Amino acid sequence: MARKHLFLPTLIATLVSANSFAAVQSFDTRSFAMGGIGASTADYLTASFHNPALAARYGEDDDMAVLIPSIGAQIDDSEEIIDKTDSFSDIYDQFSSINNPTEQDAQLVVDALEELQSNRANVQANVSLAVAIPNQYVSVNMFVKAYADAFVFADIAEGDLDANKLIENSSLTSQALTMGVVIAEIGVSLAKSYEHSNGTFYYGITPKYQQVTTINYVTDIENYEFDDWDDDRYQSEESNINLDVGLAYQMNNGLAFGFVGKNLIENSYDTSLTHGIRGEYVINPTYIASASYNHRLFNVGVDVELNETKSYDVIEGTLNGIDADADNKQMAGIGVEFNAFDWAQLRAGYQTDLSDNLADQFTAGIGLSPFDVFHIDLSASYASDNELGAVIQTSFTF
């Protein structure tokens, strides 16, 4: 059980200590609490994470804003692989200490392995910072952020599920692995607006530098430690330039529409080769459409990703084939926010994965913004007792 508590703090600590920051996904508290929406509802400070065009949508009294920082994590361990692997290690250690093990002793090991077979867990974490400078010429939003996305998989050998063979060999070939990615970004969003009689049209662009570190940690299942994934020998690092573009239209009656294309330059990244296992991670363009109704006292909106985000496109060399599409995501969300005259906010939402790889989840959050200057926001998500997340964020607006 202790290893479960070590894993997320280690992951987040790695993000915080990264040399550069940023990422593909965003965990800002307002969006997270509202079902992940943002392409037509994000404010000018978080526009870079959702739709660069919205950096130009600001109020008359808005001069500058600073996000320092947003920190979040989310875990899906519905199959309880983390606890099961921990328990298996204890069972196997006890079996290995017996001088003349019986078939019954070996069967306890086999039963524990069968409990683990093909189990997996997903973990995501994010750290982000931003500075927004809105103005009538070109609104600017500078940001840095780091995003980690990983899955843990139990790769069980069929030969290890025979109690008699286990007594004869007293060794296992089953393994466990963590495959994932840490994406660091630094970029700047530039946006303009054009007003006409029925509303305002916004358009923006975000050039950004990405540093992509792939993770391929593989070891014997009885020796698996969740916090060993960050060893350099399991990592491979590359960098590139990428681009986001966005459009938004705010009507005078409160209706708003948004469209954004993220990571328009597709790139693939090979992992290191570990125990004969390799993978290829892909950052592919993702397109999002959004509609919302924005009022001073409440906002309601919906976002839909129009295509899948691929993640690992190739995984080769495992004992049991891993479906590389099992970590694809295509998110859709709906959310609402109630605003008490810019002093406090109450938010709720619902998010689903159209690829059917992640469980549907409910989201909620609160915000406090005295004098509309200092902001502290908290949000959380829940799908089950082992599928949950949380984000905390502080910011200043002037």
Side-chain angles (χ1 to χ4, degrees), residues 75-254:
I75 184 168
D76 174 0
D77 187 21
S78 56
E79 296 176 313
E80 299 184 355
I81 183 175
I82 297 176
D83 284 343
K84 288 178 182 177
T85 305
D86 198 16
S87 297
F88 171 78
S89 296
D90 295 336
I91 293 170
Y92 185 76
D93 288 345
Q94 185 176 0
F95 170 79
S96 300
S97 67
I98 300 173
N99 292 327
N100 296 298
T102 65
E103 185 175 346
Q104 185 177 6
D105 295 326
Q107 191 61 45
L108 292 174
V109 176
V110 171
D111 291 344
L113 283 174
E114 288 178 337
E115 281 285 311
L116 278 165
Q117 193 165 29
S118 299
N119 283 185
R120 65 184 295 152
N122 289 85
V123 179
Q124 299 173 321
N126 184 92
V127 176
S128 54
L129 306 148
V131 176
I133 307 173
N135 63 86
Q136 61 179 321
Y137 303 106
V138 178
S139 292
V140 178
N141 188 316
M142 298 170 285
F143 68 93
V144 290
K145 63 177 183 174
Y147 168 76
D149 189 0
F151 70 89
V152 181
F153 184 80
D155 193 20
I156 307 302
E158 287 295 327
D160 291 343
L161 302 178
D162 187 318
N164 292 321
K165 288 183 179 179
L166 184 59
I167 293 173
E168 293 174 8
N169 299 329
S170 67
S171 62
L172 300 173
T173 55
S174 297
Q175 53 198 6
L177 60 141
T178 297
M179 296 194 78
V181 65
V182 177
I183 304 173
E185 288 181 350
I186 181 169
V188 57
S189 296
L190 306 172
K192 288 277 291 180
S193 64
Y194 171 74
E195 294 186 23
H196 64 88
S197 58
N198 295 319
T200 305
F201 180 71
Y202 303 92
Y203 53 97
I205 187 171
T206 302
K208 56 189 180 180
Y209 171 83
Q210 293 179 322
Q211 183 184 81
V212 180
T213 302
T214 56
I215 300 163
N216 184 24
Y217 167 45
V218 184
T219 189
D220 299 335
I221 195 165
E222 65 271 25
N223 297 318
Y224 190 77
E225 294 282 352
F226 292 104
D227 53 353
D228 285 347
W229 64 273
D230 59 345
D231 192 302
D232 289 344
R233 57 186 162 157
Y234 304 124
Q235 299 186 7
S236 180
E237 185 179 292
E238 296 182 53
S239 59
N240 62 271
I241 301 297
N242 220 314
L243 189 68
D244 299 342
V245 297
L247 304 171
Y249 181 59
Q250 177 72 59
M251 300 177 66
N252 293 336
N253 62 8

Side-chain angles (χ1 to χ4, degrees), residues 28 30-31 38 40-58 62 65 67 132 141 337 347 375 377 393 395 397:
D28 84 81
R30 184 169 180 262
S31 170
S40 66
T41 54
D43 58 38
Y44 69 98
L45 176 56
T46 59
S48 294
F49 308 141
H50 302 286
N51 185 345
L54 298 179
R57 189 175 68 178
Y58 57 91
D62 295 326
L67 171 64
N141 188 316
E337 175 186 57
R347 305 170 181 124
H375 307 256
D377 300 274
Q393 176 174 305
S395 60
T397 53

